[in-house]
Amino acid sequence: IVPVFVNLMLWGFIGFDDCTTPREWQTEDVQILQTIAEVMGVTISRRQATETLESKTKEQRLLLDTIDTQVWYLTDIETYGRLNQAHADFLGVDLRAIAHKRLEEFVSKEVAEVCKASNIEVFQKKRPVHTEEWIPNADGEERLIAITKTPKLDAYGKVEYVVCAGTDIT
């Protein structure tokens, strides 16, 4: 019998038994059993971590998709990363359709140029930028959006992405 540990906690046991004759288990047999127990422990731990991550992701999605504030992030000056439902609704696009696409695929070239100007600033200065931009919504109505663009810097001070939060202040 060999213990199975998950995150340093005893989870259970695994073992083999010979029910018909007395048997002395060889060192190799015990080592194989210990390896199986370790693999089981790691597999269970990974499964638990995956379930926790999925749960937290759903919670974050719920929080982001139930607020009126538009939230999105940019991977560079003109490319969306992900966004929340409020921003997708504002633009009149499916939430999944806009991810990893360029601004000009969803707004006019003129609007994209205005947006890119402040995007360039936040990527270059590596500090938050507050801006107000006139952007047409899904119905074509010009809306004044107050936007805060905040860079996420990596360990070397390089901008990984920029988080944007916008509120309609028309």
Side-chain angles (χ1 to χ4, degrees):
I1 295 175
V2 175
V4 176
F5 289 96
V6 176
N7 298 323
L8 303 177
M9 294 184 63
L10 180 63
W11 185 82
F13 295 92
I14 185 173
F16 291 114
D17 196 3
D18 189 332
C19 299
T20 57
T21 58
R23 178 175 176 159
E24 188 172 318
W25 295 94
Q26 301 297 315
T27 302
E28 296 83 23
D29 297 329
V30 175
Q31 288 174 340
I32 289 171
L33 196 56
Q34 288 172 332
T35 300
I36 292 169
E38 289 173 15
V39 170
M40 285 179 64
V42 168
T43 301
I44 293 165
S45 176
R46 181 170 283 156
R47 175 70 180 188
Q48 289 174 342
T50 299
E51 288 173 357
T52 299
L53 181 60
E54 288 172 355
S55 174
K56 295 295 180 190
T57 300
K58 285 179 184 177
E59 287 175 14
Q60 289 176 347
R61 234 17 277 169
L62 176 67
L63 288 172
L64 284 174
D65 287 341
T66 56
I67 60 173
D68 292 333
T69 301
Q70 299 177 46
V71 180
W72 66 98
Y73 76 88
L74 301 168
T75 58
D76 59 43
I77 64 165
E78 64 181 350
T79 308
Y80 277 98
R82 302 270 321 240
L83 61 152
N84 72 344
Q85 191 62 52
H87 193 54
D89 291 345
F90 179 84
L91 295 173
V93 297
D94 181 83
L95 186 66
R96 294 170 301 270
I98 198 170
H100 311 292
K101 302 275 172 81
R102 292 177 45 244
L103 291 170
E104 291 180 8
E105 295 180 55
F106 301 96
V107 297
S108 71
K109 185 174 181 171
E110 296 77 23
V111 171
E113 291 303 319
V114 170
C115 294
K116 285 194 282 188
S118 60
N119 294 348
I120 289 170
E121 182 180 354
V122 72
F123 272 93
Q124 286 179 348
K125 293 185 177 180
K126 301 178 184 182
R127 63 173 177 75
V129 171
H130 305 283
T131 182
E132 293 178 0
E133 300 170 8
W134 285 98
I135 303 173
N137 65 11
D139 298 327
E141 300 170 346
E142 289 287 323
R143 308 301 293 185
L144 183 59
I145 309 298
I147 305 171
T148 299
K149 300 177 180 187
T150 306
K152 163 59 173 82
L153 304 178
D154 66 14
Y156 304 103
K158 182 178 179 236
V159 176
E160 284 186 58
Y161 53 86
V162 171
V163 176
C164 306
T167 304
D168 188 340
I169 59 169
T170 308

